[in-house]
Structures are given as structure tokens and as C-alpha cells.
Amino acid sequence: MKFIEENMVLFDVQVEGPEEAIQKAGQLLVDSGCVDSAYVTAMIESYQENGPYFVLAPHIALPHARPEDGGKEASVSFMRLTTPVKFGHKSNDPVEFVFALGASSSDEHIQVLQKLSSVLGNQDKIKQLKEVSNFEELQKILDVGGNKQ
């Protein structure tokens, strides 16, 4: 599992809309060898077809596709947007943080969601994500240092 490793993080990214946010966060997974580029295309198509169902908490999106769309390994990238973007979710817009999920099986999707759950339900950590300025600080907030599998 690759969970928000240093090369899978971007701070203060300017995007024009949800599709570009998904593309850039997904590209981090492609560049890390965790998913095929087709997986990112499937993430965008899923958003276009199904709407913002993956905006699971205020300001947080977790775009993903099906493992069979090109997922190779359980993985999560992180991207903080310079300007929050509306994904069309009634209560959780605008999105400021994008955690792109990759997985090669449904079980792996559950594993990465479990790892993220400690962040998604903690408002103090969400506030800290707005202020974090480097990868080391991010590791402390997410409590992932030395937690690789």
C-alpha cells in the first residue's frame, strides 16, 4: 500500500473545476505506478455520470474508480487546492482537499478508507490540513509516518 507518500502530495494547486482536480490528484497515482492512466479517465467519467457521491465530508473529495479500470495497488494521493472548487455536493462543497484512491480490489478500497477515516472524522485535523506547508507536517497530521504496508 502506498498511502500519501512524499511524491503523492501536492500543496496549493489551482484548478478550473472538478475534472481538473480529479485529473491532477489521479496523475499522482499514475506517476507512482499505482494505477494506469485509464483509471484516472474512469474516475472522471464516474464523476460525470454519477455526480459528486465521493465528496464524503465537508471540503473533502475521495475520487476513485473501480479496481478493474486499471488499479494496480492500494494507494492514496493528497492534493490541497488553492481555491476551493464546487463539485456539486449539496452539503460538502466546496472541496478543498482531494484524496485520490487507487486499489486493485474492493478489499483494498476498504483498507484505504479505513486509514483515512481517522482524518475525515476529525475537525482538528481538517483545520490543520489548511495550514500544513510541507510533507513532514502532513505526515504528523495524518499519522502515517512509518505506517507503510
Side-chain angles (χ1 to χ4, degrees):
M1 178 183 295
K2 292 184 180 177
F3 189 86
I4 309 179
E5 296 181 355
E6 191 165 9
N7 63 341
M8 302 167 81
V9 173
L10 289 175
F11 294 107
D12 303 326
V13 176
Q14 184 69 43
V15 297
E16 295 298 319
E19 288 91 349
E20 186 179 2
I22 295 167
Q23 172 67 43
K24 288 186 175 185
Q27 188 62 43
L28 293 170
L29 299 178
V30 173
D31 293 345
S32 298
C34 299
V35 302
D36 292 331
S37 59
Y39 187 89
V40 178
T41 301
M43 291 166 68
I44 294 169
E45 289 173 352
S46 178
Y47 167 71
Q48 293 170 337
E49 293 171 11
N50 304 310
Y53 67 94
F54 53 79
V55 181
L56 297 181
H59 314 294
I60 298 176
L62 289 83
H64 57 276
R66 296 175 302 180
E68 58 269 28
D69 290 327
K72 298 178 182 176
E73 180 178 358
S75 51
V76 181
S77 68
F78 171 80
M79 187 170 71
R80 181 177 64 201
L81 302 177
T82 302
T83 304
V85 172
K86 290 184 179 180
F87 275 61
H89 195 280
K90 289 182 181 178
S91 56
N92 293 332
D93 266 349
V95 169
E96 186 171 0
F97 309 107
V98 181
F99 294 86
L101 310 182
S104 63
S105 71
S106 295
D107 289 342
E108 285 183 347
H109 263 287
I110 293 170
Q111 289 174 356
V112 295
L113 286 171
Q114 287 173 334
K115 285 184 76 85
L116 281 173
S117 65
S118 66
V119 177
L120 301 179
N122 186 321
Q123 288 304 308
D124 288 336
K125 288 189 176 190
I126 300 300
K127 288 178 185 174
Q128 292 173 347
L129 289 177
K130 294 179 185 225
E131 304 297 326
V132 65
S133 61
N134 60 55
F135 179 70
E136 288 74 23
E137 291 176 8
L138 180 64
Q139 279 186 305
K140 291 177 185 172
I141 294 168
L142 299 176
D143 193 26
V144 295
N147 203 14
K148 298 173 188 167
Q149 294 180 357

